[in-house]
Amino acid sequence: MSDAELIILGIETSCDETAAACVRGGTDVLSSVVSSQVDLHARFGGVVPEIASRAHNELIIPVTARALVEAGLDGSRIDAVAATTGPGLIGALLVGVSAAKALALTWDVPFISVNHLEAHLYAAFLEDPELTFPLVVLLVSGGHTMLVCMEGHGRYRLLGSTLDDAAGEAFDKVARFLGLGYPGGPAIDHEALSGDPEAIAFPRSMMDQGLDFSFSGLKTSVVNYVRKHPEVSTADVAASFQAAVVDVLVTKARRAAAEVGATALAIGGGVAANSLLREQFLGACATDGLHGFLPSRSMCTDNAAMIASAGWYEYRLHGSSSLATGANPNLRLSTIA
Ligand code: KG4
Ligand code: ZN
């Protein structure tokens, strides 16, 4: 069978989404099922690891079964099973990794270990296989904020990352402080629609320096500002905060693309679903003459199609993974020197 025909079942359980997907040849998505646990965690204002693990346990079989049914496949048609082995919550990861290994053994097919961060990078290729190297990807999620140069498949150079909070974490913390609920990113995105982004000049940390990020000072500025001006409009705070985050993200992504001579720029991770970031990102790419790639919103947030896709590239490059490969909550992106 040619690689283009290989059908991979991907499984993702690193945080609060239980997801399974069938993808043929790395880019042809036959099914993608995502069951979000957001309602279970909302009343706690954040993801509770123990609740996440239990919910994954309940959902993993029905979600995987649905991914097979929606793709019109039974197990005998699956050529390999890929699962996120890290980074993420250990109890949550273990559910998906164990399920994937059990299915690989039952069907006698290879098991492929996938790095969640690498999968977010591959979400761009799922929707635009024509993307060319060197490609700079701005990866902005709840746990990570990084600029990565992809020099080829499986060849990554870390250009910059956050020194403190991730961008999504800043959205979540500010939203919680403003009483906008959880998850914070979509809540701030929505609230900002009726606010003035220039109402408050929040700081743009490290804007003129390098490719690293820092968001904890911005979060503190928001808290201090609101305590000092309790009458301020929440929509104006949300819009001004969002403008500050997006300004820094877009400025640094453009700088990174210029520094490495990239021809294309992509974004990924949950925060890439943000309306203002999407608009400003595309505007910047047009101005700089870069092939800008913006995944659909469902491909930005956690899903298993990106796991199956990254698994396909991993399998082609390195073959299958040992069944002894465990879940690793602190797995890092393996970078080239
Ligand atoms: O990639 P993801 O689904 O999970 C992680 O691997 O972290 O990202 C979740 C993060 C959360 O912090 C959430 O608040 C943020 O992405 N997010 C957004 C938006 N949608 C999700 N942030 C800003 N604007 C949005 N529209
Ligand atoms: Zn993620």
Side-chain angles (χ1 to χ4, degrees), residues 116 120 141-143 168-169 171-172 183-186 189 269-271 273-274 300-302:
H116 184 84
H120 270 302
S141 71
E169 193 179 353
F171 269 95
D172 293 336
D189 199 344
V271 181
N274 182 267
C300 292
T301 46
D302 289 349

Side-chain angles (χ1 to χ4, degrees), residues 246-327:
V246 169
D247 207 5
V248 175
L249 292 176
V250 172
T251 301
K252 301 240 173 183
R254 293 172 88 165
R255 185 177 297 152
E259 280 186 15
V260 303
T263 51
L265 189 57
I267 51 178
V271 181
N274 182 267
S275 317
L276 183 70
L277 177 58
R278 294 173 80 83
E279 186 191 311
Q280 299 217 343
F281 172 82
L282 283 183
C285 289
T287 308
D288 296 355
L290 293 166
H291 176 157
F293 182 71
L294 202 57
S296 60
R297 282 170 203 262
S298 59
M299 201 47 78
C300 292
T301 46
D302 289 349
N303 65 85
M306 68 181 192
I307 305 303
S309 176
W312 185 80
Y313 286 98
E314 169 68 22
Y315 187 61
R316 281 184 32 159
L317 284 172
H318 304 116
S320 60
S321 309
S322 158
L323 283 173
T325 312

